[in-house]
Amino acid sequence: MAYGYEADTLVMLCEAVLAARQARKLQPQQLAIAQQCELIMRGLARVGIVALVDEATGYQTVRKRDALAKILEAYISKELLPWAQRFPLEFYEEIYRLHSWDDLDPRDRSKPGYVGKLTNALVYERLPDGVLEQLRAQNPVDLETGKRKFKHHQFLTDEIGNPHLEKHLSKVIGLMQASDTWIEFKKMFRRVFKVQDGDRAGGRGSIRI
């Protein structure tokens, strides 16, 4: 929308004004409006040409690549950060409660593999596109142990990455605490974070919320 009008409506309005000027049907005081319409149409034409050139040359891909590079620069730390407690115990307590895992202790450091997949689906996959993929690349699974040597959050920046993580975690924990069942939580989570059907932001191996 521009100038308070939908784009299509604005174009039709400008075309009508310019046609009236060409037919010499405008009043002298309306000529200034026609000049503004001409400027708008020229601007729209330039935008259209840029879009066509981008599409023809593949520069749209370059723009997306540049945008991704800026996101990763903001979120991914250049150095491994020391371990710090980023995931509150409440996060795991609520997961266990909502799944009725009464025989498991959320304080145990060794957690079911499913919890790791849930952590990705609920938290890391909600970071900007490309961040989780980069975290996996920098923190690969050790072939001998089948586990990652570090925690993903140790590769997030202290300025943007980890603050975003912690803010998101607070929202997720709040939704869990307000839910009586896992199904109820999932409905609220999908609504709040606008999760679409079939959404597996983490790619192959991720689970659907």
Side-chain angles (χ1 to χ4, degrees), residues 12-32:
M12 289 189 291
L13 177 62
C14 287
E15 287 177 342
V17 172
L18 293 175
R21 184 182 67 175
Q22 186 174 4
R24 298 184 178 182
K25 294 182 179 180
L26 294 181
Q27 299 296 322
Q29 63 270 24
Q30 295 175 319
L31 292 177

Side-chain angles (χ1 to χ4, degrees), residues 75 77 79-92 119 123-124 127 135 150-173:
Y75 276 81
S77 176
E79 298 179 355
L80 177 69
L81 300 181
W83 182 89
Q85 183 72 47
R86 300 290 183 185
F87 284 74
L89 179 60
E90 290 88 346
F91 176 72
Y92 299 106
T119 301
V123 182
Y124 287 111
L127 297 178
L135 289 174
F150 308 102
K151 298 297 184 182
H152 277 339
H153 59 73
Q154 290 181 260
F155 293 89
L156 293 175
T157 58
D158 275 336
E159 297 78 15
I160 295 178
N162 274 311
H164 185 170
L165 176 80
E166 292 171 359
K167 183 178 180 180
H168 178 80
L169 270 171
S170 295
K171 292 182 180 179
V172 173
I173 293 171

Side-chain angles (χ1 to χ4, degrees), residues 3-51:
Y3 297 92
Y5 296 94
E6 294 290 344
D8 290 344
T9 303
L10 180 63
V11 169
M12 289 189 291
L13 177 62
C14 287
E15 287 177 342
V17 172
L18 293 175
R21 184 182 67 175
Q22 186 174 4
R24 298 184 178 182
K25 294 182 179 180
L26 294 181
Q27 299 296 322
Q29 63 270 24
Q30 295 175 319
L31 292 177
I33 297 176
Q35 289 180 337
Q36 291 297 319
C37 287
E38 187 173 5
L39 291 174
I40 291 172
M41 293 299 287
R42 287 179 180 176
L44 291 173
R46 284 196 297 271
V47 171
I49 290 172
V50 170

Side-chain angles (χ1 to χ4, degrees), residues 86-122:
R86 300 290 183 185
F87 284 74
L89 179 60
E90 290 88 346
F91 176 72
Y92 299 106
E93 287 177 337
E94 292 302 323
I95 288 178
Y96 283 42
R97 177 182 68 83
L98 293 172
H99 282 87
S100 299
W101 292 343
D102 299 330
D103 56 334
L104 298 178
D105 188 346
R107 291 171 296 183
D108 287 346
R109 295 188 62 182
S110 180
K111 295 178 173 58
Y114 181 67
V115 173
K117 291 185 177 182
L118 277 179
T119 301
N120 281 336
L122 298 175

Side-chain angles (χ1 to χ4, degrees), residues 108-151:
D108 287 346
R109 295 188 62 182
S110 180
K111 295 178 173 58
Y114 181 67
V115 173
K117 291 185 177 182
L118 277 179
T119 301
N120 281 336
L122 298 175
V123 182
Y124 287 111
E125 290 178 16
R126 306 306 146 189
L127 297 178
D129 290 344
V131 172
L132 178 56
E133 183 178 359
Q134 184 64 25
L135 289 174
R136 285 171 170 165
Q138 292 190 206
N139 187 31
V141 174
D142 187 289
L143 296 179
E144 293 184 3
T145 64
K147 298 180 180 180
R148 302 182 193 276
K149 292 184 178 181
F150 308 102
K151 298 297 184 182

